[in-house]
Amino acid sequence: GLAPFDASRAGVFCGRDEELDALHDALQELRAGTAPRMLLLAGGSGSGKTSLAQAGLLPTLHAAGDWRVRTLRPTGDVSARLGAAIGEAPTDGTPLLVLVDPFESVFDLPPSARQRLVRALWRQASTPGGSVSVLLCLRIEYLGRCSELVVDDAGTRLDAVAFLESHQIILRDPSPRALRSMLMEPAARAGLELDPALAHKLANAVTGLQPPLPHLAAATARMWVARTG
């Protein structure tokens, strides 16, 4: 269907190996360096940002066993949500990743709550030698609005890192080859076989549509409903 994949779908999350490696490597580099450990994953609506983070990155970090992960949805009582996410940061040196998704929801918060949240995230990410890293999933049309978010008393704005290549991953639409992988590999893992010619036809058909992933999901959902035998 059209819903994003979460960690329970990690076993059928396919076709994003390069993007997953880039995301993981960027986090590791920020963790090892001295710059603020804050990374933006930006892409268009329907590009698969949440699926890449939830079904790709988080299970990878869990499997490696060297990260703890928590998620934060910036809506409602953000103080309580923030406390649950970073209120008990590891003290044994184990790195903690806080995934904020969808980050663009901060712009719907009252100004005081918005500033409190982004300042707290920045403080955790910029503490020298700290254990907390922050991953912000953001619709790309909101990237420019990062300049509206002042993250410290010195007047630093979030775009101080948001526009740096080392602090951002831009998620592009998957290629036809990746789309075919998304179709065929989950089927194979379930012991099923999808006709390669059909996969090729579907991938090519949706490549010209924007964004392709929701169109592919809609097409395959209709195929499943219409199946016989």
Side-chain angles (χ1 to χ4, degrees), residues 13 53 65 87 98 108 119 128 130 144 146 148-149 168 187 199 226:
F13 180 74
V98 177
D108 297 327
R119 284 181 178 232
C146 290
E148 301 174 22
L149 303 175
Q168 66 171 226

Side-chain angles (χ1 to χ4, degrees), residues 1-57:
L2 299 176
F5 283 19
D6 58 19
S8 69
R9 303 298 186 203
V12 290
F13 180 74
C14 304
R16 287 293 201 182
D17 291 346
E18 292 183 10
E19 294 88 344
L20 180 56
D21 288 344
L23 185 57
H24 184 266
D25 290 347
L27 280 174
Q28 295 286 20
E29 289 175 9
L30 288 175
R31 175 189 170 192
T34 58
R37 298 173 301 278
M38 182 171 282
L39 184 67
L40 280 87
L41 174 59
S45 178
S47 62
K49 301 180 298 298
T50 294
S51 297
L52 178 61
Q54 297 273 7
L57 179 66

Side-chain angles (χ1 to χ4, degrees), residues 106-188:
V106 300
F107 297 105
D108 297 327
L109 295 173
S112 59
R114 179 190 312 163
Q115 290 302 119
R116 188 166 62 251
L117 175 63
V118 297
R119 284 181 178 232
L121 292 171
W122 179 265
R123 185 168 57 251
Q124 292 288 340
S126 59
T127 299
S131 61
V132 178
S133 299
V134 178
L135 175 61
L136 309 175
C137 283
L138 180 70
R139 281 169 55 184
I140 200 162
E141 57 264 37
Y142 284 85
L143 192 58
R145 295 193 64 182
C146 290
S147 62
E148 301 174 22
L149 303 175
V150 178
V151 296
D152 61 21
D153 292 338
T156 306
R157 303 180 314 190
L158 185 58
D159 60 347
V161 299
F163 294 156
L164 297 179
E165 185 176 348
S166 58
H167 289 267
Q168 66 171 226
I169 298 290
I170 303 300
L171 185 62
R172 296 173 175 82
D173 289 333
S175 66
R177 179 179 179 181
L179 291 169
R180 291 194 296 272
S181 175
M182 293 174 186
L183 285 166
M184 299 185 67
E185 288 186 32

